[in-house]
């Protein structure tokens, strides 16, 4: 009995303390509070005060007055970026100076203090209060949740905070509005956030700056030696600079100093390689790179010289350079200078389906990040979070999204550029969900990523949420359990989009649409999320995948897909916008041909230096299914039957389980009832040769993705058997072909 009563007493005391110390900011449409900012407070602090007032107004219907100056203060008060006797208070509360984005939220008596560093500390204090204490959310530019409060309460609080990364950029066109960035606490470098709203992480220029430093237009004619020597020729376009040329160093240094003078607020200057390859192979550059075991040798040697000069005049400025594609591997002995920052890119060869840790395809990247972390004074990451060839393809990479940011934090990364779909009107697959979850993880990577996904889906999709969550589970379960790896340039054929999965996904979206059919706002969101499933069905339709979509159903699905796209203004399908949505629609509508999907195949044979297409191997001289031949690495290979049911794409990477260089053959015979002409469509990844009745009728050395009918060939055929022999080479990435009869099938038997 005594114990019980004592417990009761303690409980009552806690309640008393808590009740006394909590702040009631608004109650039943009234508030005794005023917001105070300093006389002459920076614009961003004024903005922060207005932001707080406006959000409280929307949550409670009460507008708190904003007062300037703290000489005569009426309590209770909210002090933003200032306080009476501020330095004494800070001495007690936060003796160390605030970081640029660090804040303190503190209650004392009935007053609330939101203090912080410049430029964004106070602003992030306000946003953190709204987000973490009162549940405000800015999921997308139009899905904002500001809870209604009759009584707005804040418990006694003392909380400091700052972001996990100093640079946080979520680069999806759907989430670039300054207001979204501010509310989700990203400090992007592109698309300017005005200084009056906190400004951004200042980088200039953005990326790929060699030709901005030494423009070919000005220098190439008079000084070709400033530019890359590529295959024995100086090249002033789509290549790089001769980085060991001392004139180039001098010109680039002058330009970098000019950039610094012209952009006083910027303290990161970018000196980095152009996109693509074309590095200099002159003797000096090559010798240096050979000795360093990487092209990053000549790059860092060049950047370091400029960094030395800049350090003398502008010690506050950092030089940023890429470790990207051909320069991803660090040099053997050259170290970046103290004022050089490395921006390491997790480019195309890695796996986006799985987290960095735990997937064998990503293992080499872990090594890279460890190598650069060991030598880089500051390390930034550029990572890719969408499919750049098919913005509308289902891309289940959330296992990585929710895990990798934490991995980066734990490997010493200071900032992240998260690149996603970038289009005029937005609309990449689940871009807003991806963007929001990434922004939260960049602020604090120790959050539960799955909980964030579920929260977004619940709040943004309303009663359709259960179906969307099932859809996400369906796709992620598939790539997890079947160990399907894909990268930022994946093709819908990569493995997770089987007829079964796409069929189930389609059912889920049919139910999702039904669940919100009477709410036009929710329906538009659900339909935007549905587009990738419709896209997949249409994509496979063009690839001979009638199991995904048959001729009878196609027009309705295409109309639905284009109807959503037109309503939402979506026009772009991929990063380079090679084919816009209307071209895709035309392509679907014009799909024709009978795809041949049962072949004898043999391979892989060697493809030395990518010359295997020209090399004559036995299948060009004989067809004997009982014989064994010598293939790549001395392996015994023979003719085998490869039949594809679900699509017209004959996928050699899967059939041969081989993605290294190689060549392979496919052979079939067409039985004609009479002499005639046949029109055939061929698509290949990569180069292709085609023989009909032992006559070479197509010869194309090329590196590309395969699409149906990339080449169209018309040839005579004879009554009886006509042989078809294809040879396809592999120089990395995907490998396979399409073959279809476009016209003349009436001459054929059994087609
Ligand atoms: Zn050179
Ligand atoms: Zn993987």
């Amino acid at each position: 009995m005594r114990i019980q009563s004592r417990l009761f007493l303690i409980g009552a005391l806690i309640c008393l303390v808590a009740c006394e110390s909590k702040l009631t900011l608004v109650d039943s449409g009234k508030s005794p509070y005023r917001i105070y900012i300093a006389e002459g407070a920076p614009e961003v602090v004024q903005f922060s005060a207005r932001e707080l007032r406006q959000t409280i107004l929307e949550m409670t219907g009460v507008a708190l007055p904003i007062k300037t100056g703290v000489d005569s203060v009426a309590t209770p008060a909210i002090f933003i970026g200032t306080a009476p006797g501020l330095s004494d208070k800070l001495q007690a509360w936060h003796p160390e100076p605030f970081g640029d984005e660090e804040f303190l939220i503190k209650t004392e008596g009935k007053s609330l203090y939101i203090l912080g560093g410049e430029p964004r500390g106070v602003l992030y204090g306000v946003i953190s209060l709204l987000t973490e204490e009162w549940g405000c959310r800015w999921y997308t530019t139009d899905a904002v949740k500001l809870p209604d409060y009759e009584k707005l309460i804040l418990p006694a609080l003392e909380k400091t905070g700052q972001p996990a990364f100093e640079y946080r950029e979520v680069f999806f066109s759907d989430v670039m509005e300054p207001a979204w960035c501010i509310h989700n606490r990203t400090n992007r470098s592109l698309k300017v956030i005005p200084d009056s709203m906190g400004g951004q992480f200042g980088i200039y220029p953005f990326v790929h700056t060699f030709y901005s430093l030494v423009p070919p237009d000005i220098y190439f004619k008079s000084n070709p030696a400033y530019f890359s020597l590529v295959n024995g020729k100086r090249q002033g376009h789509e290549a790089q600079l001769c980085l060991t040329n001392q004139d180039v160093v001098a010109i680039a240094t002058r330009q970098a100093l000019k950039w610094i003078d012209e952009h006083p607020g910027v303290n990161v200057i970018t000196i980095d390689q152009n996109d693509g390859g074309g590095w200099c192979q002159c003797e000096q550059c090559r010798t240096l790179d050979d000795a360093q075991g990487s092209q990053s040798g000549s790059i860092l040697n060049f950047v370091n010289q400029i960094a030395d000069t800049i350090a003398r005049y502008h010690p506050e400025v950092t030089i940023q350079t890429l470790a990207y594609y051909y320069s991803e591997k660090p040099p053997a002995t050259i170290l970046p200078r103290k004022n050089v920052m490395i921006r390491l890119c997790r480019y195309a060869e890695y796996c986006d389906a799985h987290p960095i840790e735990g997937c064998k395809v990503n293992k080499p990247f872990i090594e890279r990040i460890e190598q650069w972390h060991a030598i880089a004074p500051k390390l930034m990451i550029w990572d890719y979070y969408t499919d750049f060839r098919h913005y509308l393809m289902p891309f289940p990479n959330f296992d990585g999204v929710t895990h990798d940011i934490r991995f980066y934090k734990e490997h010493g990364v200071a900032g992240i550029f998260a690149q996603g779909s970038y289009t005029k009107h937005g609309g990449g697959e689940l871009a807003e969900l991806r963007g929001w979850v990434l922004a939260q993880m960049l602020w604090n990577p120790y959050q539960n990523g799955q909980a964030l996904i579920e929260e977004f889906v619940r709040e943004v999709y309303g009663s359709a949420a259960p179906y969307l969550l099932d859809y996400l589970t369906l796709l992620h379960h598939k790539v997890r359990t079947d160990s399907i790896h894909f990268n930022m340039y994946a093709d819908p054929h990569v493995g997770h989009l089987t007829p079964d999965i796409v069929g189930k996904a389609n059912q889920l979206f049919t139910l999702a649409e039904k669940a919100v059919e009477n709410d036009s706002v929710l329906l538009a969101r659900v339909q935007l999320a549905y587009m990738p499933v419709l896209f997949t069905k249409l994509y496979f339709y063009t690839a001979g995948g009638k199991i995904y979509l048959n001729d009878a159903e196609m027009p309705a699905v295409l109309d639905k897909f284009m109807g959503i796209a037109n309503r939402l203004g979506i026009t772009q399908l991929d990063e380079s916008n090679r084919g816009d949505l209307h071209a895709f629609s035309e392509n679907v509508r014009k799909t024709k041909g009978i795809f041949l999907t049962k072949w004898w195949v043999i391979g892989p044979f060697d493809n030395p230096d990518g010359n295997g297409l020209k090399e004559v191997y036995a299948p060009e001289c004989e067809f004997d299914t009982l014989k064994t031949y010598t293939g790549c690495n001395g392996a015994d290979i023979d003719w085998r039957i490869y039949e594809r049911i679900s699509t017209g794409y004959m996928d050699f990477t899967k059939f041969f389980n081989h993605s290294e260089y190689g060549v392979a053959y496919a052979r079939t015979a067409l039985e004609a009832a009479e002499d005639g002409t046949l029109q055939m469509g061929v698509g290949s990844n990569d180069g292709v040769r085609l023989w009909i009745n032992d006559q070479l009728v197509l010869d194309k050395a090329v590196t590309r993705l395969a699409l149906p009918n990339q080449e169209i060939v018309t040839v005579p055929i004879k009554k009886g058997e006509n042989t078809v022999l294809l040879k396809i080479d592999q120089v990395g990435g995907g490998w396979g072909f399409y073959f279809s009869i476009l016209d003349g099938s009436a001459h054929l038997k059994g087609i």
Side-chain angles (χ1 to χ4, degrees):
M1 284 300 282
R2 278 182 58 190
I3 292 171
Q4 260 184 356
S5 63
R6 196 184 290 167
L7 276 176
F8 173 75
L9 190 67
I10 291 169
L13 277 174
I14 288 169
C15 176
L16 198 66
V17 171
C19 296
E20 261 194 0
S21 55
K22 86 178 174 203
L23 277 53
T24 303
L25 288 113
V26 176
D27 192 357
S28 310
K30 289 203 182 74
S31 172
Y33 279 83
R34 291 175 168 82
I35 297 171
Y36 287 90
I37 57 174
E39 197 86 52
E43 277 187 290
V44 59
V45 172
Q46 299 175 35
F47 171 75
S48 306
R50 289 195 302 273
E51 180 68 27
L52 181 65
R53 180 179 64 172
Q54 181 61 27
T55 315
I56 291 179
L57 172 64
E58 290 182 38
M59 292 192 295
T60 65
V62 175
L64 308 188
I66 297 177
K67 301 282 178 190
T68 304
V70 289
D71 289 343
S72 61
V73 168
T75 53
I78 301 172
F79 297 103
I80 298 191
T82 188
L86 180 62
S87 48
D88 289 348
K89 286 197 188 301
L90 284 181
Q91 199 51 45
W93 295 346
H94 198 278
E96 293 295 312
F98 284 113
D100 299 357
E101 299 184 317
E102 190 185 11
F103 62 82
L104 166 71
I105 306 172
K106 179 155 178 41
T107 56
E108 188 191 51
K110 291 288 176 201
S111 289
L112 167 63
Y113 299 81
I114 303 170
L115 307 170
E118 286 183 27
R120 288 177 290 276
V122 169
L123 175 63
Y124 288 160
V126 167
I127 300 298
S128 299
L129 175 71
L130 296 172
T131 305
E132 284 145 30
E133 303 306 323
W134 293 326
C136 299
R137 297 287 188 275
W138 292 265
Y139 296 111
T140 73
T141 47
D142 73 342
V144 174
K145 179 177 137 189
L146 306 179
D148 284 336
Y149 288 105
E150 173 79 13
K151 204 170 182 175
L152 187 67
I153 287 170
L154 188 67
L157 197 65
E158 177 165 354
K159 185 176 188 176
T160 53
Q162 61 185 326
F165 299 92
E166 64 182 80
Y167 167 52
R168 309 171 302 282
E169 179 139 19
V170 180
F171 189 77
F172 289 75
S173 44
D174 312 71
V175 292
M176 281 190 182
E177 287 305 313
W180 187 94
C181 299
I182 290 161
H183 288 130
N184 288 292
R185 296 170 289 185
T186 61
N187 60 358
R188 53 170 322 134
S189 67
L190 283 169
K191 194 159 178 183
V192 179
I193 301 171
D195 286 343
S196 59
M197 295 163 79
Q200 80 254 30
F201 189 85
I203 296 176
Y204 187 86
F206 179 56
V207 73
H208 302 315
T209 63
F210 276 179
Y211 284 169
S212 309
L213 288 161
V214 184
D217 288 354
I218 299 175
Y219 294 104
F220 188 71
K221 238 178 168 176
S222 53
N223 298 84
Y226 290 179
F227 299 87
S228 292
L229 186 74
V230 182
N231 300 327
K233 264 183 85 177
R234 294 286 172 180
Q235 193 172 315
H237 61 94
E238 292 177 9
Q240 312 290 340
L241 300 173
C242 178
L243 298 173
T244 52
N245 184 313
Q246 284 310 304
D247 289 349
V248 171
V249 176
I251 295 166
T253 306
R254 276 202 302 277
Q255 183 59 53
L257 288 167
K258 202 162 163 238
W259 283 339
I260 295 169
D261 288 342
E262 287 168 355
H263 299 85
V266 165
N267 46 18
V268 178
I269 288 289
T270 305
I271 297 176
D272 59 15
Q273 70 202 70
N274 295 332
D275 211 350
W279 58 88
C280 185
Q281 300 162 346
C282 81
E283 204 187 324
Q284 258 183 303
C285 288
R286 210 181 49 227
T287 307
L288 179 57
D289 287 339
D290 287 351
Q292 293 296 325
S294 168
Q295 268 78 33
S296 62
S298 56
I299 292 174
L300 262 193
N301 177 61
F302 171 76
V303 169
N304 278 348
Q305 292 173 68
I306 300 173
D308 286 342
T309 306
I310 288 177
R312 284 207 296 278
Y313 298 103
H314 299 281
E316 75 290 357
V317 169
T318 300
I319 317 303
Q320 168 174 266
T321 196
L322 286 174
Y324 165 60
Y325 176 34
Y326 66 83
S327 66
E328 191 192 284
K329 185 179 171 201
T333 58
I334 298 175
L335 301 175
R337 292 287 194 269
K338 279 200 170 61
N339 56 339
V340 170
M341 175 166 99
I342 301 296
R343 186 178 258 207
L344 171 63
C345 305
R346 190 159 79 109
Y347 194 53
E349 62 195 271
Y350 302 111
C351 174
D352 289 322
H354 307 122
I356 289 179
E357 287 165 301
C359 170
K360 63 176 187 205
V361 183
N362 285 324
K363 243 184 169 169
F365 188 72
I366 296 181
E367 204 175 304
R368 285 283 177 266
I369 199 169
E370 284 169 350
Q371 289 165 340
W372 279 112
H373 178 42
I375 63 167
K378 193 176 270 193
L379 182 59
M380 297 284 186
I381 287 287
W382 183 313
D383 205 346
Y384 306 86
Y385 291 94
T386 194
D387 185 312
F388 290 81
R389 283 212 175 110
H390 307 91
Y391 279 162
L392 282 173
M393 186 188 88
F395 194 69
N397 69 338
F398 280 95
D399 285 355
V401 167
T402 53
H403 166 277
D404 294 348
I405 309 289
R406 190 178 313 160
F407 169 86
Y408 288 138
K409 180 67 192 167
E410 286 165 3
H411 285 74
V413 171
I416 293 176
F417 178 78
Q419 189 179 0
S421 44
Y422 183 71
T423 68
K424 202 168 168 194
H425 299 288
E429 187 249 0
L430 296 175
E432 291 165 323
L433 170 61
R434 221 169 252 125
W436 186 78
V437 174
L438 280 165
Q440 311 319 306
M441 297 307 275
L442 287 171
W443 178 263
N444 172 13
Y446 293 94
Q447 299 182 74
N448 178 337
Q450 184 57 29
L452 290 170
I453 293 169
E454 288 172 19
E455 178 194 325
F456 182 101
V457 172
R458 230 177 23 246
E459 298 290 345
V460 173
Y461 297 103
S463 23
Y467 307 109
L468 272 102
L469 288 171
D470 283 354
Y471 165 71
L472 286 168
T473 305
L474 176 76
L475 288 166
H476 287 85
H477 184 258
K478 179 75 180 166
V479 296
R480 264 177 233 142
T481 50
D482 290 8
S483 287
I484 292 163
H485 308 280
F486 55 70
N487 66 25
M488 57 187 276
Y489 294 127
D491 183 272
H493 281 99
V494 73
H496 60 299
L497 297 169
T498 60
D500 175 48
I501 293 286
V502 175
K504 283 180 181 153
N506 196 58
Q507 272 171 13
L508 288 168
F509 273 103
T510 308
L511 294 169
E513 274 191 310
K514 187 127 192 63
V516 294
E517 63 188 347
N518 297 320
D519 184 325
S520 60
V521 172
L522 292 184
L523 185 61
R525 289 178 195 163
V526 167
Q527 290 189 332
L528 175 60
Y530 191 2
M531 278 187 81
V533 175
L534 299 172
F535 167 78
T536 304
K537 287 163 78 82
L538 294 164
Y539 178 96
F540 280 113
Y541 179 81
T542 65
K546 298 281 167 80
I547 192 169
Y548 290 87
L549 184 64
N550 61 38
D551 290 339
E553 291 167 338
M554 183 278 284
V557 171
L558 182 59
D559 283 353
K560 185 176 177 80
F561 176 77
M562 290 307 292
I564 300 170
N566 291 336
R567 267 200 306 287
L568 303 178
I570 297 165
T571 56
Q572 197 169 331
L573 273 177
D574 60 42
E575 186 185 23
S576 59
N577 205 15
R578 274 181 297 260
D580 67 10
L581 222 55
H582 287 277
F584 173 73
S585 161
E586 276 309 289
N587 193 30
V588 173
R589 234 179 264 288
K590 286 185 188 153
T591 296
K592 64 170 189 172
I594 300 160
F595 288 84
L596 301 192
T597 56
K598 188 175 180 183
W599 295 77
W600 283 101
V601 301
I602 186 166
F605 290 96
D606 281 335
N607 188 6
D609 302 322
N611 287 319
L613 202 61
K614 290 186 230 152
E615 204 85 18
V616 177
Y617 292 106
E620 293 174 38
C621 313
E622 62 178 9
F623 176 59
D624 187 341
T625 57
L626 299 176
K627 253 177 133 169
T628 298
Y629 303 89
T630 304
C632 280
N633 307 318
D636 284 344
I637 53 175
D638 52 14
W639 287 101
R640 283 161 196 234
I641 288 178
Y642 176 23
E643 183 169 17
R644 200 88 204 258
I645 310 274
S646 57
T647 126
Y649 184 56
M650 305 304 290
D651 190 344
F652 280 167
T653 45
K654 292 211 177 72
F655 187 76
F656 295 119
N657 195 19
H658 180 94
S659 54
E660 309 299 314
Y661 275 35
V663 296
Y665 295 86
R667 187 184 168 106
T668 192
L670 300 171
E671 189 71 21
E674 61 207 6
D675 289 357
T677 305
L678 210 55
Q679 189 187 55
M680 292 161 286
V682 180
S684 65
N685 179 345
D686 294 286
V688 56
R689 284 188 174 190
L690 170 66
W691 293 263
I692 304 291
N693 293 328
D694 301 324
Q695 294 294 308
L696 186 68
V697 296
L698 173 63
D699 181 5
K700 181 133 186 168
V702 65
T703 304
R704 66 182 174 195
L705 278 182
L707 293 170
N709 309 327
Q710 284 164 315
E711 320 295 333
I712 292 177
V713 186
T714 306
V715 291
I717 51 164
K718 58 179 200 288
K719 184 178 174 184
E721 188 184 83
N722 294 270
T723 59
V724 180
L725 180 66
L726 272 164
K727 179 180 190 179
I728 309 287
D729 81 337
Q730 159 67 328
V731 290
W735 186 24
F737 71 92
Y738 292 98
F739 185 94
S740 61
I741 308 292
L742 296 174
D743 205 11
S745 60
H747 304 305
L748 301 176
K749 290 186 199 164
I751 284 270

